[in-house]
Structure formats: C-alpha cells, structure tokens
C-alpha cells in the first residue's frame, strides 16, 4: 500500500492527525467526525510509512464491538492478519496481561473472572455471613462502593477509617470481600484494572519490558477513562511522546460510573509537548441537526471549544411535539413510526431514546398493540442468560475447585433438596476447616451437626464433579461443554421444565456447544491458560458488555447512555422535561447539569435525517402523577431550526388513575363537535369489559362518563378510553 492510498479517503484534519509525527497527540473528535477511521489509518500509517512493528502497537477501547471493528478494518487495509497487535478493551488487555503474569500478580494460574451478577451474589452471601440486613445495606450499594474504591486505585488497607457508621460497615465488607476473592481465586472487572496497575507499578523489569514493547499507544473514547485506566496508561508511557488519544469532552456522559472527563485536561498538563487536532466535520447528520447540537452544547462552560459542521444540506427541521401526557406522547411516536414503515423504510432505522428505563413501558405497550416488532437494546446478552451462566458455572468449578461462587450457583441446579440451613452449615464447616465448599463436601461424613442425608447429597455432588472431571479428560472443548451440559442434568432439567421459553433455554444450551466449537483462542491465550479457561474468561468479559446483539428488523428502544456510538436515520428523543431530562438530581448541581447537557448533545447527534423531540404537560411516572415543564434544553434550541406542533386545542387533559389504552389525536379533534355518548348506552372497554353509562359530564376533550361495569363503577375520560358501543 502506498502513502497516497492510506490518506486518500481522509479530509484535511483527519490527514493531519494520521500523519502527525510521533508525539503526544490529543484528537478532539466531534460526534460523527470519523474518529475510528482516524485511529485505524493512524495505525496503518505507523506500520506502512514509519516502519513501526505491528507487535509494538497497543490500541485500547471500551467495547468488544469497537475493538473487533478496529481490528477488522486494520486487517482490510493492511491485507494481513493483525493478531500480533494488542487491540482490545481495557478489561480485555488487562486480563491478557494478568494471564501472562499470574504468579507475579499474586493470582492462581487458573483464576476466573467474576461478572457483575456473580460479584453481587458473593456480596449477598457476605452480608448474610456478617449478619447485615440487605434492606439497610443493599448489595448493589456495596458493589458500587467496592468498584469505586478499585477504580480510584484504593485497597481496603489504603482507606482511612472515619467515625461514620455506614462507612465503617462498607469498609469492613470490602476487607471480607477481598479475602473471599483471594480464597476463591477470582477477580471482578474492577480488580482486573487495579491488579494490572499494581503488577506494572511493583515490577520494574516487567514495566520496562512493556514500555519498550509498546512504542505506540492508541486510546479510543479517552473521555470515558477512569482514574485507574489513566494511571496504567501513563505508566506505560514514560517518555510522554507515544500516546495517541482520541476523545470528545462533549460526549463525556459516564461520570456516574467513574469516568473522569478531567483526564482530557490532565493529559494536557502532564504531556506538555502534546499537539491538539480537532475533527469537526460531521458525516452523519443534516445541517439542522448539527446546528441544534452545537447550540445546546455551547451552553456548557467547561468544555474545549469546537463546532461541528457538515457539507450536507439542512434537511428537515427538528419537530417538537408537546403532548398532553405519556399516552399521547407514545401515540404520536407510534403514528410516525407507522408512516415511516408505510413509506418503505425499515423499522431498524428508527430509535426511541429516553433518559430513564421506566419510560419504555408506555412505548412497548403501544408497539405491541400496534403489532410493530421492537427490541429494548442492551437487553440480556447470550452469556448473561441464566441457563448459560449455570452451564458455565459447572465448567468454572471444574477448572477451579476453589470457586465458591460457582459452587453456590449450581449446588441446587438442578434441585437436589439442599436447603438454606444445610448450606449455612456447609459454609460454617468449610470456614472452620479453611477449605473450599467443594473440598468440604468430601469431609462431611460423620460430622456433628450435619445429617447423613445432607452429607450424602453433598458427597453425591462431589462425585458428580469428579465424574465430569475424569470423563472429560482428552475431549475437545466443545465435546467437554456438551458432556457437562448433558451429565450435569442441566439439559434434562430445562427440557422437562414447564416454564415459558424452556425450549429457548434448551436451544441456548445447544448454542453454547456451538460457541465452544467456534472458539479460537488467541496466541496469548493458548500460551498462558488452558483452552477451557480461555473460553470461560472470554465469556465473562463479553457478559460485562452492555450493548445488545443485532436482531431482525424492529424498532430500537434504549436509554440515551446506551445510544452512545450508534446512529439512526430517524430518532425520537422523548420525555425532554425538567426533573426528568435534566434529571431532578442534577438541576442544582452545575457539574451534573453539564453532563446532562452532554447527554442531550449525544442524543441529538444520533439522528441522521430526522429528529423528533417530545415533552408532556403531565406525566405518570415512578408511581405518581405530576405536571411537567418542558426542559431548559429545548429553550436553548434556535427557533428557526424547529417545527413546533401540538394537538389543535392547547389545553391540558386530566389523567385518570385507570389504565388507558390508545389515545388518538384524530379522535380528540372529532370530539370537538359534540358527544356521541348518552345515559343508558351500553359500551365495551378493552380492560374492564362491558358496562352501561350511568352519567356524563364535561364536553369536548374534557368529557368523561361514569360506567357501571360488573361489580364496580368507574369514571373514564372518553378521549382515552376507546369505548365501543354494544
């Protein structure tokens, strides 16, 4: 490949970034400005033009999808395999390093990775052991605390005790949790990053080795890095001249989970010879959408100045719809979706974006009633499904007999008649003997306090695990997985299960065998762990990724945080109201409010051709009804970019406490001319059945009727109720 062909597809700013001399580089890449293209071409430029060895390349990002896309595009441009490059997620790279240097990292060679749900399971068990009430100290809160400390680079021994009672309890649990992980030979996601930092910091010869090896370090989504990620990146870059970081402070939306937007500013201070290049040309959206995004984000004070622009025309104006309530809002969206489909477009080209997951219910309900296929993006991934996690737990316990988390997950799956009391006794016995739960089952016979029946059940489980271990020796990975699924009883358990979707669970278990058949460990994985261990680690790392897989043609529903990195021709940004977006927790906090505004910027820039923004006058959410005010973000949009519409009569409609099916603007306008209902009339309601109208009041959009259904009478708004005459 010649030099011209590498830079030919790039604009001037992109070329400047790709061809810049080796130095500390900060590429400020606005939304839709081609940051992945720049990263990929920069790596190819270094190899083809600057003669950098592919083995000297380190490129880190945040999702497996992004890492795989980067690798694939590099291989296409180089027309060669990129396996010698270290391209992966922060967690994936950290895991690779720990596998290579497990002993120096004070880890067993067969250590396993706890995903988020298994981490929470361990914490729940610790709370029981410590006799702490889950209601007073929720496991999720403990999990958040532990992960936050690790992200900040703090072990329990590094934390100074305070008089605060809650802080003392959390610190006590953190100590117990560290000891339990050590005993089990497991690490959680946050531990992967902290352990690698400590590994490099405390082993000078190892650090020097990797500093010399990685002569070129590339970082994607730099604004999303946390303290510990920044710390080990800078450890690897002692000369301050080989970091090429790409990010956008305007898209920093993960502060709530530890990301530090300050790292962009810190980079500039600590790398004084750095060069900044701005990518401002947007290739995704129309002119109107780009102008709107610029207008919103310019209201943030603490940002690096840049302004998106595009060569495409302005396109359609942004539509602002003021709905009466969330029912009206959902119907407006569904009508536009149907119009889009009727015009020959695909459903998958549309996305409904919301600030809170709780907002999805109304849209899901209306989509189902309208028979429009949809999916909630970021739902359960394959490796997160219960039946898959159960099968993997058997395999993990085979690989690591000290893994108490996996033991507890499967000891009663399929059911073996082991109750909570028996498990408590086993835990106490194991702790007293200082052995794992699996090892304890072998020592139970004639143990005081445990009945022969319970001891036999536990020992039968031990015999099963020994059988699985002995009879899978020499089998290929897929054969081993299939054998364990069959002989553990899982396949029979799910085959005979009467619950809904049991057939899907059986198919998923079969697909796990297919996944094992298709699994190809990397060169590094082959060198540093067994094939089964590599497979289990890959599964754990993938389960931690939030984004869903591609499905059939259906409307996409997702939170604004989940939407980052995606794009759709048609976008509905819904619920843009004060105290919802921006959230109530952020309106009085300038720093949080700026992050909410960045989130709005991200939402707007997901749209390629058409953007609808909706807000309501009233909303029933989180169990209560309240009046709504349109978001301050809407006031920041230039009027000339907007097409503001709402139903003909600009009045608010009271919301009843009853469940309201479809509300139609068309029907609302029909009602202006008079009522079609009268006393004594027999009507039918989809939820409450048939009844007789016994009273009426109000008119037009405010008309309501009292209907005597079987056993009860209810007032219903005729604008909502969709009554049919009988």
């Amino acid at each position: 490949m010649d030099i011209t062909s590498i830079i030919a597809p790039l604009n001037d700013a992109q070329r400047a970034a790709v061809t810049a001399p080796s130095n500390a580089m900060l590429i400020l890449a606005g939304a839709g400005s081609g940051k992945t293209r720049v990263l990929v071409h920069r790596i190819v430029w270094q190899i083809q033009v600057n003669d950098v060895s592919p083995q000297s390349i380190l490129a880190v990002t945040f999702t497996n999808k992004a890492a795989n896309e980067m690798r694939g595009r590099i291989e296409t441009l180089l027309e060669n395999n990129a396996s010698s490059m270290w391209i992966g997620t922060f967690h994936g790279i950290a895991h690779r390093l720990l596998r290579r240097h497990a002993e120096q990292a004070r880890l067993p060679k067969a250590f396993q990775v706890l995903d988020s749900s298994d981490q929470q399971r361990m914490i729940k068990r610790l709370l029981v052991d410590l006799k702490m009430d889950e209601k007073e100290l929720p496991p999720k809160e403990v999990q958040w605390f532990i992960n936050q400390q690790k992200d900040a680079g703090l072990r329990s021994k590094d934390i100074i005790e305070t008089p605060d009672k809650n802080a003392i309890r959390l610190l006590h649990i953190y100590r117990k949790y560290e000891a339990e992980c050590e005993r089990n030979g497991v690490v959680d996601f946050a531990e992967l990053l902290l352990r690698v930092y400590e590994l490099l910091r405390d082993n000078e010869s190892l650090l020097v080795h990797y500093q010399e090896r990685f002569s070129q370090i590339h970082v994607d989504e730099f604004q999303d890095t946390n303290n510990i990620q920044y710390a080990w990146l800078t450890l690897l870059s002692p000369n301050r001249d080989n970091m090429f970081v790409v990010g956008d402070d305007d898209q920093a939306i993960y502060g709530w989970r530890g990301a530090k937007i300050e790292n962009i500013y810190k980079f500039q201070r600590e790398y004084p010879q750095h060069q900044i290049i701005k990518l401002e040309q947007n290739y995704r959206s129309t002119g109107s959408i780009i102008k709107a995004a610029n207008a919103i984000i310019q209201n943030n004070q603490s940002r690096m100045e840049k302004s998106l622009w595009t060569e495409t025309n302005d396109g359609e104006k942004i539509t602002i719809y003021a709905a009466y309530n969330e029912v009206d809002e959902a119907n407006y969206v569904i009508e536009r979706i149907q119009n889009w489909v009727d015009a020959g477009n695909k459903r998958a080209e549309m996305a409904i974006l919301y600030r809170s997951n709780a907002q999805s219910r109304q849209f899901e309900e209306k989509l189902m009633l309208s028979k429009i296929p949809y999916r909630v993006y970021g739902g359960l991934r394959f490796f997160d499904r219960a039946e898959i996690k159960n099968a993997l737990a058997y395999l993990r316990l085979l690989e690591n007999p000290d893994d108490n988390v996996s033991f507890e997950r499967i000891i009663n799956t399929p059911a073996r008649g082991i109750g909570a009391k028996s498990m408590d006794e086993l835990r106490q016995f194991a702790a007293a003997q200082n052995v794992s739960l699996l090892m304890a089952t072998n020592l139970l016979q004639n143990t005081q306090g445990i009945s022969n029946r319970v001891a036999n059940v536990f020992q039968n489980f031990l015999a099963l695990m020994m059988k699985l271990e002995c009879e899978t020796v020499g089998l290929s990975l897929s054969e081993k997985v299939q054998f364990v699924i069959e002989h553990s009883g899982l396949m029979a358990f799910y085959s005979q299960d009467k619950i809904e979707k049991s057939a899907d669970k059986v198919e998923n278990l079969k697909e796990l065998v297919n996944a094992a058949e298709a699994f190809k460990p990397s060169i590094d994985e082959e060198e540093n762990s067994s094939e089964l261990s590599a497979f289990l680690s890959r599964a754990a790392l993938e389960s931690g990724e939030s984004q869903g897989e591609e499905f059939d043609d259906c409307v996409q529903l997702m939170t604004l945080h989940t939407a980052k990195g995606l794009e759709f021709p048609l976008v509905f940004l819904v619920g843009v109201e004060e105290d919802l977006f921006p959230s109530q927790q952020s309106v009085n906090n300038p720093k949080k409010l700026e992050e909410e505004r960045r989130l709005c910027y991200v939402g707007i820039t997901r749209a390629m051709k058409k953007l609808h923004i909706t807000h309501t006058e009233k909303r029933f959410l989180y169990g209560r009804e309240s009046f709504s005010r349109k978001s301050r973000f809407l006031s920041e949009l230039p009027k000339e970019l907007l097409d503001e519409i709402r139903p003909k009569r600009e009045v608010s409609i009271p919301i009843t406490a009853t469940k309201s099916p479809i509300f139609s603007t068309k029907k609302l306008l029909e009602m202006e001319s008079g009522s079609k209902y009268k006393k004594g009339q027999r009507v039918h309601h989809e939820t409450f059945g048939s009844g007789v109208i016994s009273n009426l009041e109000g008119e037009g959009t405010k008309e309501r009727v009292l209907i005597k259904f079987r056993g009860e009478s209810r007032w219903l708004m005729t604008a909502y109720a969709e009554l049919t005459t009988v």
Side-chain angles (χ1 to χ4, degrees):
M1 176 184 293
D2 59 48
I3 294 176
T4 305
S5 61
I6 298 175
I7 61 175
L10 309 177
N11 64 35
D12 290 344
Q14 291 172 339
R15 287 178 184 175
V18 166
T19 62
S22 291
N23 201 345
M25 298 290 301
L26 172 57
I27 311 302
L28 280 178
S33 62
K35 69 177 178 63
T36 304
R37 169 181 282 189
V38 166
L39 269 169
V40 165
H41 282 74
R42 171 69 173 188
I43 291 171
V44 172
W45 179 270
Q46 293 283 46
I47 294 169
Q48 295 280 36
V49 179
N50 293 339
D51 294 324
V52 173
S53 166
Q55 294 183 356
S56 299
I57 299 290
L58 173 65
V60 288
T61 185
F62 279 86
T63 67
N64 287 311
K65 180 181 178 183
N68 291 335
E69 180 184 355
M70 195 185 302
R71 182 184 297 277
R73 287 165 70 169
I74 289 170
E75 289 181 338
T76 299
L77 287 173
L78 289 176
E79 297 180 348
N80 201 356
N81 189 289
S83 61
S84 62
M85 299 182 208
W86 284 48
I87 302 173
T89 64
F90 277 97
H91 291 98
I93 296 292
H95 176 263
R96 185 173 178 180
L97 284 165
L98 292 178
R99 282 288 175 211
R100 281 194 162 196
H101 309 286
E103 186 176 345
Q104 289 163 287
R106 306 181 312 283
L107 287 171
K109 191 169 179 62
F111 77 85
Q112 291 299 322
V113 182
L114 282 180
D115 65 21
S116 182
S117 62
D118 282 335
Q119 183 188 23
Q120 212 173 110
R121 182 188 293 267
M122 180 185 282
I123 290 168
K124 282 186 177 184
R125 176 49 47 209
L126 285 174
L127 291 175
V128 171
D129 292 346
L130 295 169
K131 297 181 172 52
M132 292 184 179
D133 189 349
E134 275 191 31
K135 293 177 182 176
E136 288 185 23
L137 208 57
K140 275 194 173 182
E141 182 183 324
V142 178
Q143 183 181 33
W144 179 87
F145 171 80
I146 291 172
N147 292 341
Q148 285 292 101
Q149 304 316 305
K150 292 187 178 185
D151 286 346
L154 298 174
R155 295 285 180 197
S156 62
K157 63 181 176 58
D158 302 321
I159 300 172
I160 300 171
E161 289 197 31
T162 68
D164 182 80
K165 181 182 176 183
N166 195 52
I168 291 171
R169 290 192 302 175
L170 286 168
L171 181 54
H172 183 53
I173 297 168
Y174 186 16
R175 289 192 186 114
K176 294 289 186 183
Y177 174 81
E178 284 180 318
E180 188 68 13
C181 287
E182 204 77 28
R183 190 161 37 244
N184 282 262
V186 295
V187 297
D188 56 47
F189 284 158
E191 180 72 18
L192 284 171
L193 302 175
L194 177 55
R195 189 72 67 123
V196 160
Y197 172 71
E198 293 171 338
L199 172 70
L200 295 172
R201 181 197 65 192
D202 301 338
N203 294 273
E204 186 176 357
S205 61
L206 194 65
L207 175 60
V208 170
H209 167 76
Y210 283 110
Q211 286 173 340
E212 292 175 350
R213 170 164 187 166
F214 297 132
S215 64
Q216 299 298 323
I217 300 174
H218 305 77
V219 188
D220 190 16
E221 304 286 10
F222 189 66
Q223 76 282 348
D224 294 335
T225 54
N226 61 25
N227 283 335
I228 202 69
Q229 288 163 340
Y230 183 89
W232 65 259
L233 282 171
T234 52
L235 267 182
L236 288 170
S237 178
N239 299 322
R240 307 293 200 232
D241 64 355
N242 64 338
M243 289 271 279
F244 186 91
V245 304
V246 181
D248 181 8
D249 57 333
D250 288 337
Q251 296 186 74
I253 60 173
Y254 296 118
W256 51 276
R257 71 180 189 196
K260 297 291 184 184
I261 187 175
E262 295 86 356
N263 286 346
I264 283 187
Y265 315 130
K266 194 174 179 181
F267 177 88
Q268 296 174 70
R269 291 195 306 271
E270 295 187 356
Y271 291 71
Q273 303 303 316
H274 74 277
Q275 180 183 352
I276 297 176
I277 294 177
K278 298 177 183 180
L279 305 182
E280 297 171 294
Q281 183 175 359
N282 177 282
Y283 291 93
R284 176 188 297 153
S285 307
T286 63
S288 292
I289 293 169
I290 293 303
K291 291 173 185 175
N294 284 334
I296 288 277
I297 203 62
Q298 284 168 6
N299 289 279
N300 274 1
Q301 299 301 310
S302 53
R303 63 183 292 263
M304 298 181 69
E305 186 57 40
K306 59 185 164 304
S307 183
L308 294 181
W309 61 276
T310 179
E311 289 182 344
T312 62
N313 57 36
D314 281 354
E316 292 188 53
K317 289 185 176 183
I318 295 167
T319 302
I320 309 292
Y321 182 72
Y324 290 120
N325 60 14
E326 71 275 8
V327 181
D328 181 21
E329 178 184 52
N331 281 318
Y332 170 83
V333 171
I334 270 61
E335 282 182 23
R336 270 70 193 169
I337 286 173
Q338 197 59 64
N339 292 342
W340 179 269
V341 174
D342 291 345
N345 299 297
K346 292 184 177 180
R347 288 181 286 267
E349 295 175 341
M350 295 173 279
I352 303 173
L353 310 182
Y354 36 79
R355 179 64 181 85
S356 165
N357 274 310
Q359 293 171 254
S360 74
R361 184 195 62 79
Q362 194 67 244
F363 296 100
E364 291 189 62
E365 184 177 302
K366 295 299 183 286
L367 287 164
M368 284 190 288
L369 284 171
S370 303
K371 296 182 170 56
I372 298 174
Y374 74 93
R375 75 177 176 115
V376 179
Y377 195 92
L380 280 182
R381 292 173 61 83
F382 179 76
F383 287 113
D384 286 327
R385 293 163 185 163
E387 63 276 15
I388 299 302
K389 288 175 73 67
N390 288 336
L392 292 174
Y394 274 97
L395 293 162
R396 283 173 54 179
L397 193 57
L398 272 184
E399 188 71 7
N400 178 12
D402 293 332
D403 187 349
N404 287 348
V405 177
S406 294
F407 180 97
E408 294 214 26
R409 183 178 188 93
I410 58 177
I411 185 60
N412 227 18
T413 306
R416 296 182 175 88
I418 297 172
K421 183 181 177 183
S422 299
M423 275 305 302
D424 283 340
E425 290 171 349
L426 180 66
R427 288 188 204 99
Q428 292 168 14
F429 178 73
Q433 301 295 318
N434 196 29
V435 295
S436 69
L437 293 176
L438 186 64
M439 181 63 70
T441 61
N442 193 40
L443 307 174
L444 280 177
Q445 202 69 40
N446 301 319
T447 299
Q448 197 171 20
I450 295 182
S451 70
N452 286 335
R453 185 196 70 80
V454 172
N456 286 335
V457 171
F458 279 128
Q459 289 186 322
N460 287 341
F461 178 75
L462 175 64
L464 169 63
M465 294 306 300
M466 291 175 68
K467 174 187 176 181
L468 295 178
E469 181 180 27
C470 293
E471 297 192 22
T472 55
V473 172
L475 297 183
S476 69
L477 177 62
S478 61
E479 290 170 338
K480 185 175 290 190
V481 172
Q482 183 163 10
F483 187 93
V484 168
I485 289 173
E486 294 286 350
H487 292 269
S488 64
L490 284 178
M491 186 62 83
F493 172 68
Y494 287 113
S495 298
Q496 297 163 10
D497 202 342
K498 303 300 181 188
I499 64 171
E500 187 184 2
K501 297 185 178 179
S502 60
D504 289 346
K505 294 178 184 295
V506 170
E507 288 303 312
N508 287 338
L509 288 174
K510 292 178 180 176
E511 183 57 30
L512 182 62
V513 178
N514 293 338
E517 176 71 35
F519 176 70
K520 295 290 184 291
S522 67
I523 296 172
D524 191 78
E525 286 171 332
E526 286 181 327
E527 290 177 356
N528 296 287
S529 59
S530 69
E531 190 177 23
L532 175 58
S533 182
F535 178 69
L536 293 171
S537 295
R538 184 87 62 87
L541 289 168
E542 286 196 18
S543 84
E545 198 161 303
S546 60
Q547 296 193 354
E549 302 146 313
E550 297 299 324
F551 286 91
D552 295 331
D553 184 28
C554 49
V555 178
Q556 314 292 299
L557 278 70
M558 67 192 77
T559 65
L560 283 154
H561 285 99
T562 306
K564 180 139 180 300
L566 304 176
E567 58 184 36
F568 303 92
L570 175 62
V571 167
F572 298 92
L573 183 51
V574 301
V576 186
E577 299 146 25
E578 286 292 301
D579 295 336
L580 181 57
F581 189 33
S583 67
Q584 190 172 20
Q585 294 78 19
S586 67
V587 291
N588 295 317
N589 184 317
K591 186 175 180 180
K592 289 184 177 180
L593 183 59
E594 290 210 342
E595 181 157 319
E596 290 284 301
R597 188 174 280 108
R598 292 194 292 269
L599 190 59
C600 186
Y601 172 84
V602 166
I604 290 172
T605 54
R606 299 312 94 194
M608 300 167 70
K609 294 180 180 178
K610 177 64 182 176
L611 173 63
H612 292 265
I613 301 178
T614 66
H615 63 94
T616 66
E617 293 185 358
K618 283 188 176 182
R619 183 175 295 277
F620 193 85
L621 192 64
Y622 308 125
R624 62 185 178 87
E625 176 189 295
S626 60
F627 285 97
S628 307
R629 291 178 295 125
K630 72 177 184 179
S631 170
R632 68 191 70 192
F633 299 151
L634 294 181
S635 303
E636 295 170 0
L637 293 171
K639 293 290 185 184
E640 64 271 16
L641 300 177
L642 309 180
D643 178 17
E644 299 189 63
I645 62 172
R646 63 177 302 155
K648 184 177 178 182
R649 289 189 62 177
E650 298 193 4
V651 295
S652 296
I653 298 180
I655 302 175
T656 67
T658 60
K659 182 180 177 182
S660 305
I662 295 176
F663 166 73
S664 156
T665 303
K666 180 181 177 184
K667 178 172 181 176
L668 187 77
L669 298 176
E670 287 174 352
M671 291 173 59
E672 303 287 339
S673 58
S675 176
K676 66 177 184 179
Y677 301 106
K678 58 187 177 181
K679 289 183 182 179
Q681 187 174 27
R682 191 167 185 80
V683 293
H684 181 80
H685 184 274
E686 184 178 332
T687 302
F688 306 117
S690 296
V692 176
I693 297 176
S694 58
N695 201 1
L696 303 88
E697 65 179 37
E699 61 182 13
T701 59
K702 294 188 176 182
E703 181 186 53
R704 66 175 188 159
V705 292
L706 180 64
I707 305 174
K708 186 174 183 179
F709 295 105
R710 182 176 297 179
E712 63 176 339
S713 293
R714 285 181 178 268
W715 282 102
L716 298 177
M717 301 296 296
T718 55
Y720 293 91
E722 288 291 333
L723 300 171
T724 54
T725 56
V726 179

